[in-house]
Amino acid sequence: MNKISIIFTSIFLSILCFTSISQAQPTNTQGLDAKQRGIVTIAAFTANGDLEKLKTALNEGLDAGLTVNEIKEVLVQMYAYTGFPRSLNGINTFIAVMEDRERKGIHDELGREANPLPTNKSSLELGTEIQTQLVGAPYKSKITTFAPAIDQFLKSHLFGDIFGRDTLDFQSRELATISALASIGNVNPQLQSHLNVGFNVGLTEAQLRSLVSVLEDKVGKKEADNAAAVLNKVISSRTP
């Protein structure tokens, strides 16, 4: 083999090796689109209170095509899972991000407002319907029997007043909820429940594993490892 042949052979082998590596290592976020990844990170950093990283996540979410009203809806929903302080801090951070983008001449899409809730049923009735749809059956547990008030609040307020708003679909709301629960930690029973709901509303295993990958890339390995373990448990329990 002459010198020119050796050079071309080396180049060919290098290209082949690079191609094989690229094909063997698909992107960690395969399964979630850019807007969905934006929901995951916005919810995560609102939940754990990292406002500097939340600023980045909010900008990335807007750049990915999330509307202003969709992001507002995620931030408002977070109060039901992380408390008013985290939600209010998230909203204040979003106000600052919007003001900064406006100064830079960036005009983001406002998006549509939520349609009015049905007038022919109460929030409790609506919430009971939505909860049953999400869970897959009427929900009853020792907690709701022991403390009926929390059952009423969950049905009427969380599922009726919040989940009943159609600015976000149920898949988006579950991505936000799962991400928030995974990021605050020590709430595995609720994380497991919402991973099940995620499957019930049509999220795929690939999408939920992508969510875990986003957590690992953006939030932390500890949070991602725990979410992966709970997800594996849920998948095992759902496998016939």
Side-chain angles (χ1 to χ4, degrees), residues 205 232-240:
E205 180 179 340
N232 289 336
K233 182 178 180 180
V234 168
I235 292 170
S236 296
S237 71
R238 295 176 68 93
T239 303

Side-chain angles (χ1 to χ4, degrees), residues 34-35 38 59-66:
K35 290 173 65 174
N59 276 293
E60 290 175 348
L62 289 167
D63 291 340
L66 285 171

Side-chain angles (χ1 to χ4, degrees), residues 135-155:
V135 174
Y139 182 72
K140 204 72 176 174
S141 71
K142 288 183 179 180
I143 291 176
T144 59
T145 301
F146 181 73
I150 198 66
D151 186 42
Q152 180 176 348
F153 295 156
L154 282 169
K155 285 182 169 70

Side-chain angles (χ1 to χ4, degrees), residues 126-142:
L126 176 63
T128 301
E129 290 178 7
I130 292 174
Q131 185 189 51
T132 301
Q133 178 184 347
L134 297 182
V135 174
Y139 182 72
K140 204 72 176 174
S141 71
K142 288 183 179 180

